[in-house]
Amino acid sequence: MGGKEKEYVAEAFATNWVAPLGPNVDAFEKQLAEQLGVKQVAALNTGTAALHLGLQLLGVQAGDTVLCQSFTFAASAFPILYGHAKPVFIDSEEQTWNMDPALLEQAITDEIALGKKPAAVIAVHLYGMPAQMNEIMAILDRYEIPLIEDAAEALGSTYQGKACGSFGKIGVLSFNGNKIITTSGGGALASTDEELVKKARFYSTQSKEPAPYYLHKEIGFNYRLSNICAGIGRGQMEVLPERVERRREIYDFYLQELGTIDGIVFLPEPEGSFSNRWLTTILFDEKIFGAGFNETVRQALEKINIETRPLWKPLHQQPVFSEVKAYLNGVSDKLFAEGLCLPSGSNTTDESLQRVVQEIKKLL
Ligand SMILES: *Cc1c(COP(=O)(O)O)cnc(C)c1O
């Protein structure tokens, strides 16, 4: 926690705004809108809910095709299945580890040739690194396909000066416990289209029509963020700049200590991109260290109580998605085979970072 969270939560208790919605939700939404540079944001109870609502708002129907980045957390794609739409996975490019624009275009033209234009695309800024938005947006503009931008890991990241989460027809944020800021659990849906955000608020509170009795003309959801959780979010937003600064410091430290070692690969920021460095991720080049060295390191560190993690296992490798069509180029397979997420929490001390680096060097 950053400092003021308890105050805002206490305020909610003192004023009896414990029930859903209230001043903390309004204030938190305002902070988020300012951060993203959009007019309106709807605070929701998870990022997954925001993705699901996003698909609903774009009118994605059962049987529609939705193209989704393969190298991501499963929550990016699960909501496609909630509505019985059809996911198709797109592999990553090597510069940012996000959606490969060339494969995206190939998938779009193939789907069109098969008789149906994809209804939406879900691109992700994984680990806080902005995707190649110019290229992706140019393709989607050309084919007139709406983008859902999964910025769950990228709050505070920018691409050519513009906030991640503000490019898509729909932008999605998450405040789950593992993210750069948290509301214990929460998410948000952003859009430059104010009507879409208003509609998101309507759908997320059970689509109640303005009537004295409960009147529903459309299917609703219970996806709103509570005023208590939003109080935590308000305090967290005040420390977001510090969080980003600390995460970037942690990346710089690892880079300085490990970056000159032959075969250890970092993910540099391309010109014009600013990453929040949510997690520092490295690759152990198989040609230098042999296959599976990332897992050898992970297990050795685990024994001495240092937690590291594999990178996201690509969705096309997940049993639950085994039937899903995928456009692959080997990039995400290689990332998963070679990669490791290093301890990156904003509160990791310099001593802990030193220790992580020393232990990794010993293993080498
Ligand atoms: C965390 C995360 C989500 C889901 O957010 P929740 O708030 O946990 O539902 C979606 N996509 C990505 C890339 C994430 O990291």
Side-chain angles (χ1 to χ4, degrees):
M1 292 292 101
K4 294 266 284 286
E5 292 87 351
K6 261 188 175 165
E7 228 172 86
Y8 294 124
V9 172
E11 205 176 285
F13 275 83
T15 55
N16 207 22
W17 277 108
V18 172
L21 306 180
N24 280 336
V25 173
D26 297 341
F28 185 44
E29 286 183 342
K30 199 156 164 282
Q31 286 170 309
L32 292 170
E34 270 165 28
Q35 175 70 33
L36 295 189
V38 297
K39 283 212 190 103
Q40 292 276 346
V41 171
L44 303 174
N45 54 14
T46 62
T48 309
L51 284 155
H52 189 201
L53 267 193
L55 291 166
Q56 294 285 321
L57 288 165
L58 296 178
V60 175
Q61 308 272 326
D64 283 353
T65 300
V66 177
L67 308 180
C68 179
Q69 187 162 319
S70 185
F71 189 49
T72 183
F73 180 43
S76 299
F78 279 150
I80 303 169
L81 298 182
Y82 299 166
H84 303 280
K86 194 186 86 178
V88 170
F89 294 136
I90 312 290
D91 214 330
S92 294
E93 35 76 14
E94 281 181 304
Q95 269 71 52
T96 75
W97 301 1
N98 292 309
M99 186 176 271
D100 182 338
L103 285 184
L104 169 66
E105 182 152 28
Q106 195 188 324
I108 292 171
T109 51
D110 283 1
E111 290 296 318
I112 290 173
L114 286 171
K116 206 165 175 194
K117 191 166 88 170
V121 168
I122 300 174
V124 189
H125 307 292
L126 210 66
Y127 301 117
M129 180 60 73
Q132 293 181 343
M133 293 315 292
N134 276 351
E135 289 80 356
I136 290 172
M137 293 312 290
I139 293 166
L140 296 186
D141 285 350
R142 194 159 354 111
Y143 292 95
E144 298 182 330
I145 299 172
L147 174 69
I148 296 180
E149 193 190 353
D150 182 345
E153 301 177 4
L155 183 62
S157 299
T158 61
Y159 179 83
Q160 297 182 355
K162 204 163 122 69
C164 287
S166 70
F167 287 85
K169 185 91 185 156
I170 305 274
V172 168
L173 299 173
S174 166
F175 315 111
N176 195 46
N178 59 338
K179 300 306 195 291
I180 194 154
I181 65 161
T182 184
T183 57
S184 83
L189 184 149
S191 179
T192 44
D193 182 344
E194 282 185 81
E195 286 309 309
L196 273 186
V197 178
K198 280 185 195 147
K199 202 85 211 221
R201 293 199 183 108
F202 175 74
Y203 283 147
S204 64
T205 48
Q206 308 286 24
S207 302
K208 280 186 217 116
E209 298 289 339
Y213 47 90
Y214 286 95
L215 177 66
H216 309 274
K217 296 181 185 165
E218 290 180 88
I219 296 171
F221 302 84
N222 188 3
Y223 280 173
R224 210 63 164 110
L225 187 70
S226 87
N227 197 51
I228 298 289
C229 292
I232 304 174
R234 273 179 88 176
Q236 289 273 284
M237 278 306 283
E238 292 173 13
V239 296
L240 176 64
E242 291 162 39
R243 291 287 160 88
V244 173
E245 195 183 314
R246 180 60 182 155
R247 300 267 171 157
R248 288 175 61 86
E249 232 171 59
I250 289 170
Y251 173 89
D252 288 341
F253 175 79
Y254 283 129
L255 176 66
Q256 180 196 310
E257 293 292 324
L258 301 171
T260 54
I261 297 168
D262 194 26
I264 294 190
V265 181
F266 280 76
L267 177 62
E269 256 169 0
E271 180 81 29
S273 286
F274 179 89
S275 169
N276 67 7
R277 295 293 186 192
W278 174 55
L279 297 186
T280 295
T281 50
I282 57 172
L283 306 178
F284 293 99
D285 188 342
E286 286 191 345
K287 291 193 288 294
I288 308 277
F289 296 103
F293 191 67
N294 57 343
E295 181 57 14
T296 307
V297 172
R298 191 189 70 77
Q299 285 178 15
L301 293 176
E302 189 173 46
K303 284 204 186 84
I304 51 173
N305 211 20
I306 295 174
E307 187 191 25
T308 61
R309 293 210 192 158
L311 302 193
W312 297 119
K313 187 180 173 79
L315 300 187
H316 70 266
Q317 288 192 33
Q318 299 287 358
V320 67
F321 295 121
S322 61
E323 305 291 310
V324 172
K325 185 166 148 191
Y327 285 78
L328 305 176
N329 56 16
V331 171
S332 64
D333 287 339
K334 179 171 178 290
L335 293 171
F336 181 65
E338 297 186 338
L340 197 65
C341 300
L342 300 180
S344 307
S346 311
N347 57 354
T348 313
T349 61
D350 289 349
E351 294 70 40
S352 294
L353 292 176
Q354 289 281 2
R355 186 168 158 250
V356 172
V357 159
Q358 276 161 15
E359 294 297 339
I360 290 175
K361 284 179 178 169
K362 264 195 242 168
L363 290 167
L364 300 180

